[in-house]
Amino acid sequence: MSVAEHGRRGRWQFWIDRGGTFTDIVARRPDGRLVTHKLLSENPEQYRDAAVQGIRELLGLKPGEPVPAEQIEAVKMGTTVATNALLERKGERTLLLTNEGFADALRIGYQDRPRLFDRHIVLPELLYERVAEIPGRLSAEGEELVPLDLDAARRTLELAW
């Protein structure tokens, strides 16, 4: 879409990445120009939500002024917060649900061993605390071989902790 087409629309687009420390925003103005903005992800003395605050600041809104939805074409948001919490072991206890027969697939891994004759193999620590299997299977082509058992999944989750 050309800059002129964006200008005719007259609406903003926002792409937001909320990280553990900073929230980064790239926005396309109604005239098609790109602008960037960065805020602390957590700043409760100044704002409740960094993404909303960043949008407000880029739109030039005064405190308490409502966000004009008609001026916004799209808001797309991603986050690394959950991934970082898992990797840093700062999140909640985690249960991995997987298809029946695959409980040990992540522990087995690919069996890549650059030092084939090492006698002491150190495996990486798993990101989850427990694993549970749920009946259900798809073929490599995406064909349902065994239907997903939603009742079994619900029971497993209810009994998890």
Side-chain angles (χ1 to χ4, degrees), residues 14-151:
F14 297 95
W15 301 281
I16 303 168
D17 175 25
R18 189 197 186 286
T21 304
F22 293 104
T23 294
D24 297 295
I25 301 172
V26 175
R28 184 185 307 272
R29 297 167 42 101
D31 62 10
R33 291 186 315 173
L34 295 177
V35 292
T36 60
H37 197 52
K38 184 183 214 82
L39 298 103
L40 287 171
S41 292
E42 299 289 331
N43 193 349
E45 296 82 27
Q46 300 295 317
Y47 45 82
R48 289 184 7 190
D49 183 273
V52 173
Q53 182 65 23
I55 290 171
R56 294 181 61 76
E57 290 178 11
L58 285 168
L59 291 174
L61 300 176
K62 296 179 176 77
E65 191 175 352
V67 175
E70 68 279 357
Q71 291 184 23
I72 299 173
E73 180 180 338
V75 176
K76 297 183 180 182
M77 188 162 171
T79 181
T80 56
V81 174
T83 303
N84 290 344
L86 279 172
L87 293 173
E88 296 169 4
R89 304 295 195 264
K90 293 181 180 176
E92 295 293 323
R93 296 166 60 196
T94 306
L95 168 69
L96 171 68
L97 293 181
T98 189
N99 296 87
E100 207 165 51
F102 286 88
D104 56 358
L106 293 180
R107 171 49 66 204
I108 293 170
Y110 293 108
Q111 293 300 302
D112 292 341
R113 292 184 20 206
R115 297 174 49 98
L116 187 60
F117 298 105
D118 279 3
R119 293 175 53 170
H120 179 67
I121 308 299
V122 179
L123 296 173
E125 187 179 345
L126 295 171
L127 296 177
Y128 51 87
E129 181 178 323
R130 292 182 31 217
V131 63
E133 297 177 328
I134 306 297
R137 177 79 44 96
L138 297 177
S139 72
E141 293 77 30
E143 175 189 347
E144 186 176 61
L145 301 175
V146 177
L148 178 62
D149 187 339
L150 293 176
D151 291 331

